[in-house]
Amino acid sequence: MLKANYHTHTKLCNHAVGMPEDYVLKAIELGFKELGMSCHAPVPRDFMSEEEYINNWLQRNMTLEEYYTIYLPALDEVIAKYGKQIKIYKGLETEYIPGHEEYYIGLLANLDYLNLGIHYFLSDGIEKNSYDDVDYKTIYDYANVAVMAMKTGLFKCLVHPDLFYFNYKDENGKQTFDKHCKAVTNLICKTASDLGVYLEVNANGLANSKKYGFKDEWLYPRKEFWKIAKTYPNLKIIIGADAHDMAKLYSEDVKKVEQFCADLGLKVLDFMEI
Ligand SMILES: [Zn+2]
Ligand SMILES: [Zn+2]
């Protein structure tokens, strides 16, 4: 049974429901000890071209103004109101765009932690989408962004590190967990292990996999990835609900992911040290 969740969204990202208070109340009801709020971070328009911005769905994220005038005040409010009942952390889920370290440092000035989610990555000079554009060549660009980001020390946890497999195409145009997937998995796990960055087994992957017709075999969390992860004894692994609805903080899918980890014999931590 989860005791904490550090991957929690709000309706400010325009594809979730509920404000921080709704999630906090649900977490208290569930008996959670800690809750980390981590809605999708705003991305300034001048960080990329208009086309890249739209391809990566950034128009739906909260704006910087909403971040300062709605998100942060809402977090301070729930901490003042419920902070004695549950430990609440202020966070965001952000991408990593090399060269914009100052921006992430600025965000962290008001937060406890940043989750790193690689929904897009720089490849051949343009931002490509992790759901659609990963193949046996671009997978190394995905890995490269993950490694560079972890090395900055700005990110506490890499969420859904196995997202690269979502629509992966091998050298024959098929979706197999080939040698390139294995190499990238090892690179990500080794870097995270060496640097003490948490890796997250993401429960929202089940719903996303179902949309593509997958039932028993999820696109992510991907079994082959986590079997390799298991071979890194110092790797810090947590389960994340990636809740876009307060009802999903401890859903059937989260329970399936707990079972998935137990079946694999993965050592999962209850809490992130923040
Ligand atoms: Zn989301
Ligand atoms: Zn998320």
Side-chain angles (χ1 to χ4, degrees), residues 7 9 40 93 242 244:
H7 194 163
H9 291 277
H40 297 280
E93 176 178 6
D242 195 358
H244 287 72

Short mmCIF file of all heavy atoms in Angstrom, two decimals, residues 7 9 40 93 242 244, ligand 2:
data_model
loop_
_atom_site.label_atom_id
_atom_site.label_comp_id
_atom_site.label_asym_id
_atom_site.label_seq_id
_atom_site.Cartn_x
_atom_site.Cartn_y
_atom_site.Cartn_z
N HIS A 7 4.00 12.30 -7.54
CA HIS A 7 3.70 12.62 -8.93
C HIS A 7 2.20 12.89 -9.04
O HIS A 7 1.40 12.00 -9.28
CB HIS A 7 4.13 11.45 -9.83
CG HIS A 7 4.19 11.80 -11.28
ND1 HIS A 7 4.86 11.04 -12.21
CD2 HIS A 7 3.64 12.82 -11.97
CE1 HIS A 7 4.72 11.59 -13.40
NE2 HIS A 7 3.98 12.68 -13.29
N HIS A 9 -0.83 15.79 -10.32
CA HIS A 9 -1.13 16.93 -11.19
C HIS A 9 -2.29 17.76 -10.63
O HIS A 9 -2.87 17.43 -9.60
CB HIS A 9 -1.39 16.43 -12.60
CG HIS A 9 -0.15 15.91 -13.24
ND1 HIS A 9 0.77 16.74 -13.85
CD2 HIS A 9 0.38 14.65 -13.30
CE1 HIS A 9 1.80 16.01 -14.27
NE2 HIS A 9 1.59 14.74 -13.95
N HIS A 40 2.56 19.85 -14.38
CA HIS A 40 3.46 20.15 -15.51
C HIS A 40 3.90 21.61 -15.46
O HIS A 40 3.07 22.51 -15.35
CB HIS A 40 2.74 19.88 -16.83
CG HIS A 40 2.35 18.45 -17.04
ND1 HIS A 40 3.25 17.49 -17.47
CD2 HIS A 40 1.18 17.81 -16.86
CE1 HIS A 40 2.62 16.33 -17.57
NE2 HIS A 40 1.37 16.48 -17.20
N GLU A 93 6.65 18.89 -12.44
CA GLU A 93 7.22 17.95 -13.40
C GLU A 93 7.69 18.78 -14.58
O GLU A 93 6.89 19.49 -15.18
CB GLU A 93 6.15 16.94 -13.85
CG GLU A 93 6.65 15.98 -14.92
CD GLU A 93 5.60 14.96 -15.33
OE1 GLU A 93 4.44 15.06 -14.87
OE2 GLU A 93 5.93 14.06 -16.12
N ASP A 242 1.18 9.29 -10.78
CA ASP A 242 0.99 10.23 -11.90
C ASP A 242 -0.49 10.58 -12.01
O ASP A 242 -1.09 10.48 -13.08
CB ASP A 242 1.51 9.58 -13.20
CG ASP A 242 1.69 10.60 -14.33
OD1 ASP A 242 1.39 11.78 -14.11
OD2 ASP A 242 2.12 10.18 -15.42
N HIS A 244 -3.86 12.33 -12.40
CA HIS A 244 -4.47 13.48 -13.05
C HIS A 244 -5.91 13.65 -12.52
O HIS A 244 -6.70 14.39 -13.08
CB HIS A 244 -4.47 13.31 -14.57
CG HIS A 244 -3.11 13.47 -15.19
ND1 HIS A 244 -2.09 12.55 -15.06
CD2 HIS A 244 -2.58 14.47 -15.96
CE1 HIS A 244 -1.02 12.97 -15.72
NE2 HIS A 244 -1.29 14.13 -16.27
ZN ZN B 2 3.12 13.49 -14.83
#
